[in-house]
Amino acid sequence: MSRVLSWDRSVFVLLVVTVAVGAVVDPDFAGGSNLGFVLQDIGEIMLIALPMTFLIMTGEIDLSVASTAALAGCVLGWAWQASGSMAVAVLAAVGTGVVCGAVNGFLVTRLGLGSLAVTIGTLGLYRGLCYALLGDTTVADFPAGWTNLGFSSIPGTPLPYVTPLLVVLAIVFGVVLHLTRTGRWVFAVGQSVEAARFAGIPVARLKFRLFVVTGAVAGLAGVVYDLRFASARPDGALGFELAVIASVLFGGVSIFGGVGTMWGVVSAVLFLGSVRSLLQLQGVPGNALTIITGGLLLASVVIPVVAQRWSAFRERRGRALAAAAP
C-alpha cells in the first residue's frame, strides 16, 4: 500500500511542479482564465476517468467510451431536432450511454468474452452508429441557454459551469471507492476473482453495473462535449479513450487490477490538462500532446513493473548477503 501512496504523492508533486514551472515560463499560465480553460478542456476526460478507474481496478477495460460519448452526443442532436426539448434530448443521450454500457457488460459478464476484444468491437460499432444517425451533417442549433453552460464561466468566477459537476462526481466516486462496501469489493475482485467469488462477492453483477455506470457517465460526457462545442458531430471525442486510460494508469491504477486511488487519477487528469495548456501557450503543435499521452501510458505500465522487479532484486540480494555474512 505504501508504494501506491508514494506513487499518488509523486503524481501530485509532478502536478504542482508543472504548475510552478508553467507560471515561470508564461505568466498567463497561472491566471484565472487559463485555470478555467484547463478545467473546461479536461472536463470530459475527467468524467469518464472516474468510472473507468473502477473498471480497470477489477481487471476490465472499456475502449469504447469515446465512441459511446460521440454516439450519445449524436443522439442529443437528433433528439433535440425531433422533440424540440433539450431536457428530453439530454435524457436520451445519457440513456444511450447506459445502453452502450449494458451491451458491453452483457457481452463480458454473461457471455464470458474478454473486455478488451468486446470494447474494441463496440468502439467501431458505436462510432459507425454515429454516422448512421447523422451522416456527415452537424447539428448546431442548440439553444443558447444550454450552450452557454458548455463554454461560459460561473458568474463572478473564472470557473466553467462543468466544475461543480466534476467536483461532485469526483467526491462521490472517491467515497464509493474508498469508504463503501462496493469499493472493498472492487479491490477484492481486482486482487483475485476466485477469492472474491469464494468470499460471496457477486463478481459478474458488480462488473456489469460498472460497465453500465461507465457508459452512463460517458453519455453525460458526450452531452458536455456537445454543449462545449455547440454542435453534435459523428467524429466527436476522437481519441479520448487514450487520454482516459493514460490518466487512470498514470494516476497509479494497476493495469492488472486491485491497486489504485481516486485522488491519484484526479491528479493525473489535471496534470495532463496542465501540460496540454502549457504546450498550447508555447505554440507547440497539438500532435505533441498525443506523443506525451502515449509516453505516459507506456510509462504508467512499465514503471510499476520495473519498480516491482527492482524491489524483488534488492530483497533477494539482501537475503544473499545476509546468508553469506559470517
Side-chain angles (χ1 to χ4, degrees):
M1 180 63 69
S2 61
R3 288 197 297 269
V4 176
L5 295 178
S6 176
W7 180 269
D8 291 344
R9 286 195 295 267
S10 298
V11 174
F12 180 75
V13 169
L14 186 58
L15 169 63
V16 173
V17 170
T18 301
V19 173
V21 171
V24 173
V25 172
D26 192 324
D28 292 334
F29 178 79
S33 59
N34 190 63
L35 171 63
F37 168 78
V38 171
L39 292 174
Q40 193 174 62
D41 195 42
I42 56 92
E44 300 88 1
I45 303 298
M46 179 75 80
L47 287 173
I48 303 174
L50 298 176
M52 182 70 80
T53 300
F54 285 69
L55 263 186
I56 295 181
M57 286 186 65
T58 60
E60 305 294 348
I61 197 167
D62 187 352
L63 296 177
S64 69
V65 286
S67 296
T68 298
L71 180 57
C74 290
V75 169
L76 179 76
W78 176 85
W80 157 246
Q81 291 188 325
S83 68
S85 169
M86 279 298 293
V88 171
V90 170
L91 290 176
V94 176
T96 298
V98 170
V99 172
C100 290
V103 170
N104 291 336
F106 176 81
L107 294 175
V108 172
T109 64
R110 305 302 177 187
L111 299 187
L113 304 177
S115 59
L116 179 63
V118 165
T119 56
I120 287 177
T122 53
L123 179 154
L125 172 63
Y126 299 157
R127 183 68 66 176
L129 290 175
C130 293
Y131 287 95
L133 189 62
L134 293 186
D136 293 328
T137 62
T138 298
V139 177
D141 60 344
F142 295 123
W146 284 83
T147 55
N148 287 339
L149 295 175
F151 54 78
S152 297
S153 299
I154 299 173
T157 74
L159 302 177
Y161 278 103
V162 73
T163 304
L165 179 63
L166 298 180
V167 172
V168 169
L169 288 184
I171 292 174
V172 169
F173 278 97
V175 168
V176 171
L177 180 61
H178 297 290
L179 299 177
T180 69
R181 182 181 65 176
T182 298
R184 293 191 293 272
W185 284 359
V186 168
F187 280 100
V189 171
Q191 291 167 0
S192 174
V193 173
E194 292 304 319
R197 287 198 178 102
F198 280 121
I201 297 175
V203 175
R205 187 171 63 191
L206 174 65
K207 289 186 176 182
F208 178 80
R209 290 176 177 175
L210 293 180
F211 274 107
V212 171
V213 171
T214 302
V217 177
L220 178 61
V223 174
V224 173
Y225 183 90
D226 279 9
L227 296 181
R228 180 157 70 99
F229 291 98
S231 63
R233 300 172 50 182
D235 60 349
L238 279 175
F240 275 25
E241 63 278 342
L242 176 62
V244 169
I245 295 171
S247 299
V248 173
L249 298 184
F250 192 73
V253 177
S254 173
I255 189 64
F256 305 108
V259 175
T261 61
M262 190 58 66
W263 53 83
V265 173
V266 171
S267 297
V269 176
L270 291 173
F271 167 72
L272 284 176
S274 299
V275 170
R276 178 186 179 92
S277 173
L278 183 58
L279 290 175
Q280 290 177 337
L281 287 174
Q282 298 304 306
V284 177
N287 291 333
L289 182 66
T290 303
I291 297 173
I292 292 174
T293 303
L296 290 176
L297 180 57
L298 182 61
S300 63
V301 176
V302 172
I303 291 176
V305 174
V306 172
Q308 183 178 11
R309 292 184 178 180
W310 174 250
S311 178
F313 169 76
R314 292 183 61 183
E315 186 177 348
R316 289 195 303 269
R317 184 183 178 186
R319 287 198 300 265
L321 291 175

